[in-house]
């Protein structure tokens, strides 16, 4: 009547090569669809002789159940496989060693500041801080740079609302400290400063300065030079480093100097780093102007002092042989590391 065995074998054969749910569904339709084989067998029942109907019905039913079992079994198998693949794809090895991450090192600007702090705190200087947003009086007027002064225009900076500005130098901290403290004084301070400079390999509208102020009785240029020599010898790690004071003008010091150090590249013989002169300019310095002392209520007859301000980037660039200042701001970890 019905060749069950052959049909089942046929199906088993077909199922073997299937790998998608859709393919199984297609096979299923071949049996149970409108024109499916099982559907046809069921329809056929009307034509079976009455006494064989029962037997026939049973056989079709058995066949139908067997086919369903095989098809569902295959579907389960495929679903399991899909799940397995999915799990493999999203597999996370929780025991795996974490990805290596470089932690970098202290930034060269921070390191340079810390190195100079270390030198000066050994001499008994105290570290103080001042605000980056300043009042013009601290940044200019109190430093003997009134509104009409040409030096003020040279340094004009970014003005904010309410007559505030981004400090153009750390010298403003001198004033803030002297107003708060009684002399004698030995302080250093550092931080960001701002100027409307065009940005190039050696200039930035934001840069760091380090300020030093020493107030005592009978302070001389000799004292200033001694400290500058100590500082430069230590910071450039070379006992032969020499310091040259060239007369210069800053409204808040008298006398004022631009300070050069002997070239750390050639030792003073002349090379391309020092442009053949043997000297490199590193900072501004001088003895605190009597007017400044008066402005903060110190008696200039009794107290004198020296002050200097140094560009931190400049020192870092000279010390570590960096030719482009922008490298310091890029935040590339390979540069710091
Ligand atoms: N403030 C000066 C500048 O920014 C540097 C300086 C500091 C000069 C202290 C003399 C004394 O150029």
């Amino acid at each position: 009547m019905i060749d069950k065995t052959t049909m089942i074998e046929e199906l088993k054969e077909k199922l073997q090569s299937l790998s998608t749910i859709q393919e199984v569904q297609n096979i299923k339709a071949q049996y149970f669809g409108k024109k499916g084989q099982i559907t046809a067998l069921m329809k056929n029942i009307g034509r079976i002789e009455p006494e064989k109907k029962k037997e026939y019905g049973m056989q079709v039913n058995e066949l139908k159940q067997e086919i369903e079992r095989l098809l569902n079994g295959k579907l389960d198998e495929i679903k399991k496989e899909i799940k397995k693949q999915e799990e493999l794809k999203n597999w996370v090895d929780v025991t795996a060693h974490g990805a290596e991450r470089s932690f970098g090192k202290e930034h060269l600007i921070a390191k340079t500041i810390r190195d100079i702090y270390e030198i000066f705190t050994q001499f008994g200087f105290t570290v103080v801080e001042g605000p980056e947003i300043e009042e013009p009086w601290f940044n200019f007027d109190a430093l003997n740079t009134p509104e009409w002064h040409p030096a003020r225009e040279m340094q004009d900076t970014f003005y904010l609302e309410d007559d505030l500005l981004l400090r153009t130098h750390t010298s403003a901290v001198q004033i803030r400290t002297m107003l708060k403290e009684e002399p004698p004084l030995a302080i250093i301070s550092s931080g960001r400063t701002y100027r409307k400079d065009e940005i190039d390999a050696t200039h930035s509208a934001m840069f760091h300065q380090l300020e030093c102020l020493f107030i005592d009785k009978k302070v001389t240029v000799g004292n200033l030079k001694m400290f500058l020599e100590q500082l430069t010898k230590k910071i450039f790690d070379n006992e032969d480093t020499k310091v040259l004071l060239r007369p210069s003008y800053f409204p808040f010091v008298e006398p004022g100097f631009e300070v050069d150090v002997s070239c750390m590249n050639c030792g003073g013989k002349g090379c391309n780093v020092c442009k053949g002169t043997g000297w490199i300019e590193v900072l501004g310095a001088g003895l605190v102007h009597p007017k400044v002392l008066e402005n903060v209520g110190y008696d200039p007859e009794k107290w004198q002092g020296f002050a200097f301000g140094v560009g931190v980037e400049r020192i870092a660039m000279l010390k570590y042989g960096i030719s482009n200042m922008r490298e310091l701001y890029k935040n590339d970890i390979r540069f710091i590391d």
Side-chain angles (χ1 to χ4, degrees):
M1 262 200 334
I2 301 170
D3 190 354
K4 238 171 73 182
T5 327
T6 315
M7 278 181 76
I8 294 297
E9 283 315 310
E10 245 176 47
L11 176 60
K12 279 185 180 165
E13 187 115 331
K14 280 186 203 161
L15 289 182
Q16 255 173 31
S17 60
L18 303 189
S19 58
T20 69
I21 292 177
Q22 188 56 51
E23 284 169 340
V24 180
Q25 301 290 20
N26 291 346
I27 300 288
K28 202 170 183 176
Q30 287 177 16
Y31 291 93
F32 300 106
K34 259 190 178 163
K35 291 180 180 160
Q37 289 185 49
I38 298 294
T39 317
L41 289 173
M42 305 259 261
K43 278 184 188 157
N44 221 15
I45 202 158
R47 279 189 254 139
I48 302 293
E49 296 155 40
E51 60 272 26
K52 285 190 181 160
K53 256 193 185 144
K54 192 172 170 208
E55 170 68 15
Y56 179 84
M58 265 167 61
Q59 284 206 26
V60 173
N61 219 23
E62 261 174 40
L63 182 63
K64 181 181 164 231
Q65 277 173 12
E66 178 66 7
I67 290 174
E68 271 174 348
R69 197 182 60 78
L70 285 171
L71 286 168
N72 289 337
K74 185 69 188 179
L75 275 178
D76 281 351
E77 197 183 294
I78 291 174
K79 281 181 190 160
K80 264 193 205 135
E81 182 62 25
I82 289 173
K83 203 168 161 212
K84 197 171 123 198
Q85 292 301 333
E86 201 101 309
E87 277 171 1
L88 267 179
K89 214 165 62 188
N90 301 324
W91 182 72
V92 174
D93 181 358
V94 290
T95 66
H97 192 276
E100 292 282 345
R101 191 173 185 286
S102 165
F103 285 100
K105 290 201 181 71
E106 187 176 28
H107 195 281
L108 289 181
I109 289 178
K111 178 169 165 40
T112 304
I113 290 172
R114 198 168 50 80
D115 286 346
I116 302 178
Y117 276 180
E118 231 167 83
I119 297 165
F120 274 85
T121 47
Q122 277 171 18
F123 290 140
F125 282 71
T126 308
V127 175
V128 299
E129 282 189 39
E132 278 175 46
I133 295 175
E134 256 310 354
E135 294 168 36
W137 189 80
F138 289 95
N139 195 82
F140 294 124
D141 303 73
L143 286 161
N144 203 25
T145 318
E147 204 147 358
W148 51 263
H149 204 292
R152 184 147 165 170
E153 200 178 328
M154 254 163 63
Q155 275 202 1
D156 248 357
T157 179
F158 305 101
Y159 281 90
L160 310 168
E161 283 170 3
D162 304 324
D163 200 23
L164 293 170
L165 70 143
L166 298 178
R167 65 177 174 190
T168 61
H169 52 186
T170 43
S171 298
V173 184
Q174 292 186 28
I175 304 299
R176 288 192 172 271
T177 314
M178 287 192 282
L179 283 176
K180 258 197 306 215
E181 315 270 341
E182 288 302 316
L185 270 183
I187 58 117
I188 39 172
S189 185
S190 73
R192 294 190 192 107
T193 51
Y194 302 83
R195 287 185 200 175
K196 55 176 187 190
D197 278 344
E198 292 284 339
I199 295 166
D200 64 23
T202 53
H203 293 87
S204 165
M206 185 287 297
F207 59 102
H208 296 73
Q209 273 195 344
L210 192 140
E211 190 87 10
C212 178
L213 173 69
F214 182 78
I215 304 278
D216 210 325
K217 289 174 179 166
K218 300 195 179 70
V219 177
T220 67
V221 173
N223 298 137
L224 167 65
K225 194 168 183 220
M226 188 278 284
F227 276 107
L228 290 175
E229 274 168 358
Q230 291 301 317
L231 168 67
T232 50
K233 278 179 185 176
K234 291 212 161 89
I235 197 78
F236 293 114
D237 211 7
N238 182 355
E239 276 302 308
D240 296 329
T241 307
K242 288 183 187 58
V243 167
L244 177 72
L245 302 189
R246 279 185 293 109
S248 183
Y249 178 75
F250 299 97
F252 37 94
V253 287
E254 183 59 38
F257 307 99
E258 305 257 21
V259 179
D260 295 353
V261 291
S262 50
C263 179
M264 54 290 304
N265 192 48
C266 63
K269 286 195 224 47
C271 67
N272 61 338
V273 174
C274 57
K275 299 195 182 88
T277 64
W279 296 99
I280 295 179
E281 186 193 321
V282 288
L283 54 91
L287 296 190
V288 181
H289 198 291
K291 264 259 164 69
V292 174
L293 295 171
E294 271 172 23
N295 287 340
V296 297
Y298 288 8
D299 179 0
E301 297 296 326
K302 216 166 138 191
W303 301 101
Q304 294 91 46
F306 69 71
F308 65 82
V310 47
V312 178
E313 280 83 346
R314 180 132 179 85
I315 299 290
M317 287 167 75
L318 290 169
K319 181 163 178 175
Y320 300 105
I322 301 158
S323 54
N324 191 338
M325 193 172 185
R326 284 168 280 206
E327 294 295 342
L328 289 165
Y329 306 128
K330 273 190 195 156
N331 239 2
D332 188 330
I333 201 149
R334 289 167 301 181
F335 176 73
I336 300 170
D337 224 3

